[in-house]
């Protein structure tokens, strides 16, 4: 089990118990690493500074006990934001209709490496469906290296209505 997998296994149940969902765990590889934990509220409300503070306190205490990272590191708790990463397969269904940027690992047969378009969910095989310009593009999940939402006018208007 990789260190990120272990950190995810430790973090996810704690967040669930607090009413949050884990979006992503990222551990930077630098002289003094940063452990970034990205979470969102399960009730769909926007994350607040107080939410991040509560998560940080509980997570810090749990990590002090478990001690999964042998060296000194910084802990950063964040919300996904408007350009949230698409991490889990169900994210592509949840954000159907949203504008997204998807990068693939291998661009074969002269295909692009980056696709920007609207998500159409997943097909029966679990591959991502996107409307890119006039074409529907199918991208196997195994080929995705990075994906995120791209804020557009509709996304920004919806965010303003929530606040």
């Amino acid at each position: 089990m990789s260190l990120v997998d272990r950190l995810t296994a430790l973090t996810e149940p704690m967040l669930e118990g607090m009413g949050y969902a884990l979006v992503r765990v990222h551990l930077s590889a630098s002289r003094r690493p940063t452990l970034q934990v990205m979470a969102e509220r399960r009730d769909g409300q926007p994350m607040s500074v107080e939410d991040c503070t509560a998560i940080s306190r509980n997570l810090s205490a749990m990590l002090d006990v478990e001690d999964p990272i042998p060296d000194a590191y910084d802990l950063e708790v964040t919300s996904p934001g408007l350009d949230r990463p698409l991490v889990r397969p169900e994210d592509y269904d949840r954000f159907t209709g949203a504008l997204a940027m998807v990068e693939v690992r291998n661009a074969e047969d002269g295909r692009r490496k980056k696709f920007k378009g609207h998500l159409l969910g997943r097909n029966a095989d679990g591959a991502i469906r996107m409307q890119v310009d006039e074409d529907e593009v199918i991208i196997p999940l195994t080929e995705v290296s990075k994906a995120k939402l791209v804020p557009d006018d509709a996304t920004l208007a919806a965010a303003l209505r929530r606040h």
Side-chain angles (χ1 to χ4, degrees), residues 93-110:
D93 297 324
R94 176 180 172 195
F95 294 103
T96 294
L99 187 61
M101 177 72 72
V102 177
E103 290 184 37
V104 296
R105 295 184 204 323
N106 303 304
E108 297 173 5
D109 302 325

Side-chain angles (χ1 to χ4, degrees), residues 6-102:
R6 181 157 184 247
L7 290 164
T8 299
L10 290 169
T11 304
E12 198 160 31
M14 188 207 74
L15 289 176
E16 294 282 332
M18 294 177 66
Y20 300 97
L22 179 65
V23 174
R24 176 179 76 186
V25 170
H26 177 74
L27 185 61
S28 70
S30 60
R31 224 180 76 214
R32 181 175 173 104
T34 298
L35 171 60
Q36 182 193 64
V37 175
M38 190 177 289
E40 62 187 351
R41 292 175 57 121
R42 285 205 145 306
D43 63 7
Q45 295 299 309
M47 288 284 284
S48 67
V49 171
E50 291 79 16
D51 291 318
C52 290
T53 301
I55 292 170
S56 181
R57 284 190 183 126
N58 285 297
L59 189 57
S60 184
M62 186 264 301
L63 291 171
D64 284 347
V65 170
E66 295 292 332
D67 200 25
I69 303 172
D71 300 318
Y73 63 95
D74 294 315
L75 175 62
E76 178 182 288
V77 176
T78 67
S79 67
L82 296 177
D83 61 343
R84 73 168 283 135
L86 301 169
V87 181
R88 294 189 164 100
E90 54 270 16
D91 289 346
Y92 297 96
D93 297 324
R94 176 180 172 195
F95 294 103
T96 294
L99 187 61
M101 177 72 72
V102 177

